Amino acid sequence: MAADMRLPTIRKPVSISAFDRKDLVVPGDVITSDTGFMRGHGTYVDEDKLTASVAGEVQRVDKLICVRPLKTRFNGEVGDVVVGRITEVQQKRWKVETNSRLDSVLLLSSVNLPGGEIPELRRRSAEDELTMREYLQEGDLISAEVQSVFSDGALSLHTRSLKYGKLGQGVLVQLSPSLIKRQKTHFHNLPCGASIILGNNGFVWLYPTPGQQEEEAGGFYTSLEPVNLSDREVISRLRNCLLALAAHKVLLYDTSVLYCYESSLQHQVKDILKPEVMEEIVMLTQQKLFEQEG
């Protein structure tokens, strides 16, 4: 049996005082004793003091204070970008696993079917309903947007834009939704040669940056061409960088992922997840982020 043995090495001293987080709390921590604030989710009042009831990040919106849990299921909002897996094909709808408490729903009327017609004018016929498995079947991965939220908390998705639809060859990384930073766009073509979809639900999709895509495919075009070795190595490195950042609770967005990728280039892909290498890479990433913000 192969064993991985490592000798002690001199580690670079890195100051972490600049990265102390004062907005992180654990249950029982007093957030504020000011009675002018309103109590939000994840808080309770104890002896006129607003106290945290969950471990997470304190968020203030005007006079409302709430605590966003660091580890939780995905609570979707309208407009959120999600990556999900088809779990069931039902009548005029697909059930999708999106890391939320209930399976999400993708209606047949909410997808951009192949054919090239304007989606809003494309009538869904009985033939479309019979051929639903030709578009999406159990196990397929998709990118979609939250269209609405049902009264029971389940999400209704849509893939009407050409940037959404069935995903082809790539790697899925499942992380905590609280680590994904909300941005205007969650689709990024990184300069290292790979692309990334940062789903608000914690599912991150890594794939080779595509060339020209046929618009007639309606979001269901998936390339089955073999991925070359250099692209596979870049995707594997990005995957390990995501796991390293997530292990140290660093917010994930295009800049942090790219800085982490650049910091990891001096190490082999397989070494990135070693504890001491992971810590060094994450520290360098945090320093770059701090310098950029400063």
Side-chain angles (χ1 to χ4, degrees), residues 45-74:
V45 177
D46 182 26
E47 297 180 355
D48 293 332
K49 295 179 181 177
L50 197 61
T51 310
S53 62
V54 296
E57 179 186 5
V58 178
Q59 294 183 331
R60 290 178 170 85
V61 180
D62 295 329
K63 289 291 184 178
L64 177 68
I65 293 183
C66 58
V67 178
R68 184 185 179 196
L70 289 177
K71 191 174 183 181
T72 181
R73 283 283 187 170
F74 173 56

PDB file of all heavy atoms in Angstrom, residues 45-74:
ATOM      1  N   VAL A  45     -33.698  38.013  21.560  1.00  0.00           N
ATOM      2  CA  VAL A  45     -33.424  39.053  22.556  1.00  0.00           C
ATOM      3  C   VAL A  45     -33.295  38.411  23.932  1.00  0.00           C
ATOM      4  O   VAL A  45     -34.170  37.649  24.365  1.00  0.00           O
ATOM      5  CB  VAL A  45     -34.549  40.108  22.566  1.00  0.00           C
ATOM      6  CG1 VAL A  45     -34.289  41.150  23.657  1.00  0.00           C
ATOM      7  CG2 VAL A  45     -34.660  40.776  21.197  1.00  0.00           C
ATOM      8  N   ASP A  46     -32.205  38.691  24.605  1.00  0.00           N
ATOM      9  CA  ASP A  46     -31.951  38.164  25.946  1.00  0.00           C
ATOM     10  C   ASP A  46     -31.502  39.317  26.835  1.00  0.00           C
ATOM     11  O   ASP A  46     -30.427  39.888  26.624  1.00  0.00           O
ATOM     12  CB  ASP A  46     -30.875  37.073  25.900  1.00  0.00           C
ATOM     13  CG  ASP A  46     -30.612  36.450  27.265  1.00  0.00           C
ATOM     14  OD1 ASP A  46     -31.527  36.475  28.106  1.00  0.00           O
ATOM     15  OD2 ASP A  46     -29.483  35.963  27.488  1.00  0.00           O
ATOM     16  N   GLU A  47     -32.333  39.690  27.786  1.00  0.00           N
ATOM     17  CA  GLU A  47     -32.032  40.795  28.704  1.00  0.00           C
ATOM     18  C   GLU A  47     -31.713  42.071  27.932  1.00  0.00           C
ATOM     19  O   GLU A  47     -30.683  42.724  28.159  1.00  0.00           O
ATOM     20  CB  GLU A  47     -30.877  40.428  29.631  1.00  0.00           C
ATOM     21  CG  GLU A  47     -31.190  39.246  30.552  1.00  0.00           C
ATOM     22  CD  GLU A  47     -30.005  38.906  31.455  1.00  0.00           C
ATOM     23  OE1 GLU A  47     -28.940  39.533  31.288  1.00  0.00           O
ATOM     24  OE2 GLU A  47     -30.161  38.023  32.305  1.00  0.00           O
ATOM     25  N   ASP A  48     -32.588  42.405  26.989  1.00  0.00           N
ATOM     26  CA  ASP A  48     -32.464  43.623  26.172  1.00  0.00           C
ATOM     27  C   ASP A  48     -31.205  43.633  25.304  1.00  0.00           C
ATOM     28  O   ASP A  48     -30.771  44.699  24.849  1.00  0.00           O
ATOM     29  CB  ASP A  48     -32.489  44.886  27.058  1.00  0.00           C
ATOM     30  CG  ASP A  48     -33.844  45.080  27.718  1.00  0.00           C
ATOM     31  OD1 ASP A  48     -34.843  44.620  27.126  1.00  0.00           O
ATOM     32  OD2 ASP A  48     -33.895  45.672  28.819  1.00  0.00           O
ATOM     33  N   LYS A  49     -30.607  42.476  25.092  1.00  0.00           N
ATOM     34  CA  LYS A  49     -29.433  42.381  24.218  1.00  0.00           C
ATOM     35  C   LYS A  49     -29.764  41.459  23.054  1.00  0.00           C
ATOM     36  O   LYS A  49     -30.338  40.384  23.247  1.00  0.00           O
ATOM     37  CB  LYS A  49     -28.221  41.840  24.983  1.00  0.00           C
ATOM     38  CG  LYS A  49     -27.730  42.770  26.089  1.00  0.00           C
ATOM     39  CD  LYS A  49     -26.556  42.154  26.819  1.00  0.00           C
ATOM     40  CE  LYS A  49     -26.071  43.072  27.945  1.00  0.00           C
ATOM     41  NZ  LYS A  49     -24.966  42.446  28.715  1.00  0.00           N
ATOM     42  N   LEU A  50     -29.404  41.894  21.856  1.00  0.00           N
ATOM     43  CA  LEU A  50     -29.633  41.080  20.663  1.00  0.00           C
ATOM     44  C   LEU A  50     -28.539  40.020  20.582  1.00  0.00           C
ATOM     45  O   LEU A  50     -27.349  40.342  20.486  1.00  0.00           O
ATOM     46  CB  LEU A  50     -29.623  41.960  19.411  1.00  0.00           C
ATOM     47  CG  LEU A  50     -30.240  41.353  18.151  1.00  0.00           C
ATOM     48  CD1 LEU A  50     -31.708  41.014  18.381  1.00  0.00           C
ATOM     49  CD2 LEU A  50     -30.097  42.314  16.986  1.00  0.00           C
ATOM     50  N   THR A  51     -28.924  38.744  20.620  1.00  0.00           N
ATOM     51  CA  THR A  51     -27.985  37.628  20.727  1.00  0.00           C
ATOM     52  C   THR A  51     -28.143  36.693  19.542  1.00  0.00           C
ATOM     53  O   THR A  51     -29.246  36.504  19.026  1.00  0.00           O
ATOM     54  CB  THR A  51     -28.238  36.853  22.038  1.00  0.00           C
ATOM     55  OG1 THR A  51     -28.295  37.793  23.124  1.00  0.00           O
ATOM     56  CG2 THR A  51     -27.140  35.851  22.311  1.00  0.00           C
ATOM     57  N   ALA A  52     -27.028  36.108  19.110  1.00  0.00           N
ATOM     58  CA  ALA A  52     -27.051  35.182  17.972  1.00  0.00           C
ATOM     59  C   ALA A  52     -27.556  33.815  18.417  1.00  0.00           C
ATOM     60  O   ALA A  52     -27.182  33.324  19.487  1.00  0.00           O
ATOM     61  CB  ALA A  52     -25.659  35.058  17.377  1.00  0.00           C
ATOM     62  N   SER A  53     -28.401  33.191  17.592  1.00  0.00           N
ATOM     63  CA  SER A  53     -28.888  31.843  17.881  1.00  0.00           C
ATOM     64  C   SER A  53     -28.264  30.796  16.971  1.00  0.00           C
ATOM     65  O   SER A  53     -28.439  29.602  17.190  1.00  0.00           O
ATOM     66  CB  SER A  53     -30.414  31.799  17.735  1.00  0.00           C
ATOM     67  OG  SER A  53     -30.796  32.112  16.406  1.00  0.00           O
ATOM     68  N   VAL A  54     -27.535  31.228  15.946  1.00  0.00           N
ATOM     69  CA  VAL A  54     -26.833  30.305  15.049  1.00  0.00           C
ATOM     70  C   VAL A  54     -25.424  30.828  14.808  1.00  0.00           C
ATOM     71  O   VAL A  54     -25.130  32.012  15.056  1.00  0.00           O
ATOM     72  CB  VAL A  54     -27.569  30.151  13.692  1.00  0.00           C
ATOM     73  CG1 VAL A  54     -28.925  29.523  13.874  1.00  0.00           C
ATOM     74  CG2 VAL A  54     -27.697  31.498  12.990  1.00  0.00           C
ATOM     75  N   ALA A  55     -24.548  29.940  14.351  1.00  0.00           N
ATOM     76  CA  ALA A  55     -23.187  30.346  13.982  1.00  0.00           C
ATOM     77  C   ALA A  55     -23.207  30.864  12.550  1.00  0.00           C
ATOM     78  O   ALA A  55     -23.710  30.186  11.651  1.00  0.00           O
ATOM     79  CB  ALA A  55     -22.231  29.160  14.102  1.00  0.00           C
ATOM     80  N   GLY A  56     -22.696  32.068  12.352  1.00  0.00           N
ATOM     81  CA  GLY A  56     -22.711  32.614  11.002  1.00  0.00           C
ATOM     82  C   GLY A  56     -22.225  34.043  10.942  1.00  0.00           C
ATOM     83  O   GLY A  56     -21.545  34.536  11.848  1.00  0.00           O
ATOM     84  N   GLU A  57     -22.595  34.705   9.858  1.00  0.00           N
ATOM     85  CA  GLU A  57     -22.138  36.066   9.564  1.00  0.00           C
ATOM     86  C   GLU A  57     -23.253  37.061   9.862  1.00  0.00           C
ATOM     87  O   GLU A  57     -24.400  36.866   9.453  1.00  0.00           O
ATOM     88  CB  GLU A  57     -21.741  36.157   8.090  1.00  0.00           C
ATOM     89  CG  GLU A  57     -21.267  37.544   7.659  1.00  0.00           C
ATOM     90  CD  GLU A  57     -21.029  37.623   6.168  1.00  0.00           C
ATOM     91  OE1 GLU A  57     -21.329  36.641   5.468  1.00  0.00           O
ATOM     92  OE2 GLU A  57     -20.562  38.679   5.708  1.00  0.00           O
ATOM     93  N   VAL A  58     -22.901  38.118  10.590  1.00  0.00           N
ATOM     94  CA  VAL A  58     -23.875  39.158  10.922  1.00  0.00           C
ATOM     95  C   VAL A  58     -24.090  40.046   9.703  1.00  0.00           C
ATOM     96  O   VAL A  58     -23.141  40.528   9.088  1.00  0.00           O
ATOM     97  CB  VAL A  58     -23.388  40.017  12.114  1.00  0.00           C
ATOM     98  CG1 VAL A  58     -24.384  41.126  12.415  1.00  0.00           C
ATOM     99  CG2 VAL A  58     -23.177  39.146  13.344  1.00  0.00           C
ATOM    100  N   GLN A  59     -25.361  40.234   9.347  1.00  0.00           N
ATOM    101  CA  GLN A  59     -25.703  41.097   8.224  1.00  0.00           C
ATOM    102  C   GLN A  59     -26.655  42.184   8.705  1.00  0.00           C
ATOM    103  O   GLN A  59     -27.628  41.898   9.407  1.00  0.00           O
ATOM    104  CB  GLN A  59     -26.360  40.286   7.099  1.00  0.00           C
ATOM    105  CG  GLN A  59     -25.416  39.291   6.451  1.00  0.00           C
ATOM    106  CD  GLN A  59     -26.065  38.553   5.298  1.00  0.00           C
ATOM    107  OE1 GLN A  59     -27.272  38.348   5.282  1.00  0.00           O
ATOM    108  NE2 GLN A  59     -25.263  38.134   4.338  1.00  0.00           N
ATOM    109  N   ARG A  60     -26.347  43.431   8.345  1.00  0.00           N
ATOM    110  CA  ARG A  60     -27.160  44.577   8.755  1.00  0.00           C
ATOM    111  C   ARG A  60     -27.766  45.235   7.526  1.00  0.00           C
ATOM    112  O   ARG A  60     -27.052  45.586   6.580  1.00  0.00           O
ATOM    113  CB  ARG A  60     -26.312  45.599   9.515  1.00  0.00           C
ATOM    114  CG  ARG A  60     -25.869  45.133  10.902  1.00  0.00           C
ATOM    115  CD  ARG A  60     -24.991  46.190  11.575  1.00  0.00           C
ATOM    116  NE  ARG A  60     -24.753  45.879  12.976  1.00  0.00           N
ATOM    117  CZ  ARG A  60     -23.798  45.085  13.414  1.00  0.00           C
ATOM    118  NH1 ARG A  60     -22.982  44.511  12.543  1.00  0.00           N
ATOM    119  NH2 ARG A  60     -23.638  44.857  14.706  1.00  0.00           N
ATOM    120  N   VAL A  61     -29.080  45.392   7.530  1.00  0.00           N
ATOM    121  CA  VAL A  61     -29.785  46.125   6.488  1.00  0.00           C
ATOM    122  C   VAL A  61     -30.596  47.212   7.190  1.00  0.00           C
ATOM    123  O   VAL A  61     -31.623  46.936   7.814  1.00  0.00           O
ATOM    124  CB  VAL A  61     -30.703  45.197   5.667  1.00  0.00           C
ATOM    125  CG1 VAL A  61     -31.413  45.999   4.582  1.00  0.00           C
ATOM    126  CG2 VAL A  61     -29.910  44.058   5.058  1.00  0.00           C
ATOM    127  N   ASP A  62     -30.082  48.451   7.117  1.00  0.00           N
ATOM    128  CA  ASP A  62     -30.674  49.570   7.860  1.00  0.00           C
ATOM    129  C   ASP A  62     -30.731  49.205   9.350  1.00  0.00           C
ATOM    130  O   ASP A  62     -29.706  49.023   9.968  1.00  0.00           O
ATOM    131  CB  ASP A  62     -32.060  49.922   7.303  1.00  0.00           C
ATOM    132  CG  ASP A  62     -31.971  50.451   5.870  1.00  0.00           C
ATOM    133  OD1 ASP A  62     -30.946  51.078   5.566  1.00  0.00           O
ATOM    134  OD2 ASP A  62     -32.893  50.220   5.093  1.00  0.00           O
ATOM    135  N   LYS A  63     -31.930  49.075   9.903  1.00  0.00           N
ATOM    136  CA  LYS A  63     -32.068  48.781  11.332  1.00  0.00           C
ATOM    137  C   LYS A  63     -32.324  47.291  11.603  1.00  0.00           C
ATOM    138  O   LYS A  63     -32.524  46.905  12.753  1.00  0.00           O
ATOM    139  CB  LYS A  63     -33.216  49.596  11.935  1.00  0.00           C
ATOM    140  CG  LYS A  63     -32.918  51.091  12.048  1.00  0.00           C
ATOM    141  CD  LYS A  63     -31.852  51.355  13.099  1.00  0.00           C
ATOM    142  CE  LYS A  63     -31.604  52.847  13.300  1.00  0.00           C
ATOM    143  NZ  LYS A  63     -30.607  53.109  14.349  1.00  0.00           N
ATOM    144  N   LEU A  64     -32.310  46.486  10.553  1.00  0.00           N
ATOM    145  CA  LEU A  64     -32.572  45.046  10.711  1.00  0.00           C
ATOM    146  C   LEU A  64     -31.254  44.290  10.802  1.00  0.00           C
ATOM    147  O   LEU A  64     -30.366  44.481   9.967  1.00  0.00           O
ATOM    148  CB  LEU A  64     -33.393  44.528   9.532  1.00  0.00           C
ATOM    149  CG  LEU A  64     -33.680  43.024   9.517  1.00  0.00           C
ATOM    150  CD1 LEU A  64     -34.617  42.645  10.655  1.00  0.00           C
ATOM    151  CD2 LEU A  64     -34.250  42.598   8.172  1.00  0.00           C
ATOM    152  N   ILE A  65     -31.124  43.449  11.828  1.00  0.00           N
ATOM    153  CA  ILE A  65     -29.927  42.624  12.001  1.00  0.00           C
ATOM    154  C   ILE A  65     -30.322  41.153  11.931  1.00  0.00           C
ATOM    155  O   ILE A  65     -31.263  40.718  12.613  1.00  0.00           O
ATOM    156  CB  ILE A  65     -29.240  42.909  13.352  1.00  0.00           C
ATOM    157  CG1 ILE A  65     -28.666  44.331  13.377  1.00  0.00           C
ATOM    158  CG2 ILE A  65     -28.129  41.903  13.611  1.00  0.00           C
ATOM    159  CD1 ILE A  65     -27.921  44.661  14.652  1.00  0.00           C
ATOM    160  N   CYS A  66     -29.633  40.398  11.091  1.00  0.00           N
ATOM    161  CA  CYS A  66     -29.859  38.958  11.026  1.00  0.00           C
ATOM    162  C   CYS A  66     -28.510  38.252  10.936  1.00  0.00           C
ATOM    163  O   CYS A  66     -27.492  38.880  10.636  1.00  0.00           O
ATOM    164  CB  CYS A  66     -30.751  38.586   9.836  1.00  0.00           C
ATOM    165  SG  CYS A  66     -30.101  39.113   8.248  1.00  0.00           S
ATOM    166  N   VAL A  67     -28.513  36.964  11.207  1.00  0.00           N
ATOM    167  CA  VAL A  67     -27.294  36.161  11.132  1.00  0.00           C
ATOM    168  C   VAL A  67     -27.497  35.124  10.040  1.00  0.00           C
ATOM    169  O   VAL A  67     -28.423  34.311  10.098  1.00  0.00           O
ATOM    170  CB  VAL A  67     -26.990  35.469  12.475  1.00  0.00           C
ATOM    171  CG1 VAL A  67     -25.739  34.608  12.350  1.00  0.00           C
ATOM    172  CG2 VAL A  67     -26.800  36.506  13.581  1.00  0.00           C
ATOM    173  N   ARG A  68     -26.612  35.149   9.044  1.00  0.00           N
ATOM    174  CA  ARG A  68     -26.678  34.189   7.947  1.00  0.00           C
ATOM    175  C   ARG A  68     -25.842  32.969   8.324  1.00  0.00           C
ATOM    176  O   ARG A  68     -24.628  33.082   8.514  1.00  0.00           O
ATOM    177  CB  ARG A  68     -26.132  34.825   6.669  1.00  0.00           C
ATOM    178  CG  ARG A  68     -26.239  33.947   5.448  1.00  0.00           C
ATOM    179  CD  ARG A  68     -25.566  34.608   4.265  1.00  0.00           C
ATOM    180  NE  ARG A  68     -25.618  33.785   3.070  1.00  0.00           N
ATOM    181  CZ  ARG A  68     -24.859  33.986   2.009  1.00  0.00           C
ATOM    182  NH1 ARG A  68     -23.986  34.984   1.996  1.00  0.00           N
ATOM    183  NH2 ARG A  68     -24.960  33.207   0.958  1.00  0.00           N
ATOM    184  N   PRO A  69     -26.449  31.791   8.473  1.00  0.00           N
ATOM    185  CA  PRO A  69     -25.693  30.598   8.907  1.00  0.00           C
ATOM    186  C   PRO A  69     -24.581  30.248   7.925  1.00  0.00           C
ATOM    187  O   PRO A  69     -24.732  30.412   6.710  1.00  0.00           O
ATOM    188  CB  PRO A  69     -26.753  29.494   8.954  1.00  0.00           C
ATOM    189  CG  PRO A  69     -28.062  30.206   8.998  1.00  0.00           C
ATOM    190  CD  PRO A  69     -27.870  31.499   8.280  1.00  0.00           C
ATOM    191  N   LEU A  70     -23.443  29.777   8.470  1.00  0.00           N
ATOM    192  CA  LEU A  70     -22.328  29.387   7.615  1.00  0.00           C
ATOM    193  C   LEU A  70     -22.606  28.065   6.914  1.00  0.00           C
ATOM    194  O   LEU A  70     -22.059  27.783   5.859  1.00  0.00           O
ATOM    195  CB  LEU A  70     -21.044  29.264   8.449  1.00  0.00           C
ATOM    196  CG  LEU A  70     -20.448  30.588   8.946  1.00  0.00           C
ATOM    197  CD1 LEU A  70     -19.232  30.325   9.807  1.00  0.00           C
ATOM    198  CD2 LEU A  70     -20.076  31.492   7.778  1.00  0.00           C
ATOM    199  N   LYS A  71     -23.414  27.215   7.517  1.00  0.00           N
ATOM    200  CA  LYS A  71     -23.725  25.927   6.908  1.00  0.00           C
ATOM    201  C   LYS A  71     -25.234  25.750   6.924  1.00  0.00           C
ATOM    202  O   LYS A  71     -25.839  25.619   7.986  1.00  0.00           O
ATOM    203  CB  LYS A  71     -23.041  24.798   7.683  1.00  0.00           C
ATOM    204  CG  LYS A  71     -23.098  23.452   6.972  1.00  0.00           C
ATOM    205  CD  LYS A  71     -22.273  22.411   7.708  1.00  0.00           C
ATOM    206  CE  LYS A  71     -22.271  21.094   6.940  1.00  0.00           C
ATOM    207  NZ  LYS A  71     -21.497  20.045   7.648  1.00  0.00           N
ATOM    208  N   THR A  72     -25.836  25.769   5.747  1.00  0.00           N
ATOM    209  CA  THR A  72     -27.294  25.684   5.671  1.00  0.00           C
ATOM    210  C   THR A  72     -27.701  25.185   4.299  1.00  0.00           C
ATOM    211  O   THR A  72     -26.883  25.146   3.363  1.00  0.00           O
ATOM    212  CB  THR A  72     -27.931  27.070   5.916  1.00  0.00           C
ATOM    213  OG1 THR A  72     -29.342  26.957   5.854  1.00  0.00           O
ATOM    214  CG2 THR A  72     -27.461  28.074   4.878  1.00  0.00           C
ATOM    215  N   ARG A  73     -28.943  24.799   4.169  1.00  0.00           N
ATOM    216  CA  ARG A  73     -29.498  24.476   2.862  1.00  0.00           C
ATOM    217  C   ARG A  73     -29.718  25.768   2.074  1.00  0.00           C
ATOM    218  O   ARG A  73     -29.775  26.852   2.642  1.00  0.00           O
ATOM    219  CB  ARG A  73     -30.824  23.725   3.027  1.00  0.00           C
ATOM    220  CG  ARG A  73     -30.666  22.261   3.409  1.00  0.00           C
ATOM    221  CD  ARG A  73     -30.266  21.446   2.206  1.00  0.00           C
ATOM    222  NE  ARG A  73     -30.247  20.018   2.462  1.00  0.00           N
ATOM    223  CZ  ARG A  73     -30.108  19.107   1.525  1.00  0.00           C
ATOM    224  NH1 ARG A  73     -29.963  19.474   0.266  1.00  0.00           N
ATOM    225  NH2 ARG A  73     -30.077  17.831   1.809  1.00  0.00           N
ATOM    226  N   PHE A  74     -29.866  25.624   0.776  1.00  0.00           N
ATOM    227  CA  PHE A  74     -30.015  26.781  -0.098  1.00  0.00           C
ATOM    228  C   PHE A  74     -31.430  27.348   0.004  1.00  0.00           C
ATOM    229  O   PHE A  74     -32.414  26.640  -0.187  1.00  0.00           O
ATOM    230  CB  PHE A  74     -29.717  26.356  -1.538  1.00  0.00           C
ATOM    231  CG  PHE A  74     -29.997  27.406  -2.563  1.00  0.00           C
ATOM    232  CD1 PHE A  74     -29.403  28.659  -2.486  1.00  0.00           C
ATOM    233  CD2 PHE A  74     -30.851  27.150  -3.620  1.00  0.00           C
ATOM    234  CE1 PHE A  74     -29.662  29.635  -3.438  1.00  0.00           C
ATOM    235  CE2 PHE A  74     -31.107  28.111  -4.580  1.00  0.00           C
ATOM    236  CZ  PHE A  74     -30.510  29.348  -4.482  1.00  0.00           C
TER     237      PHE A  74
END
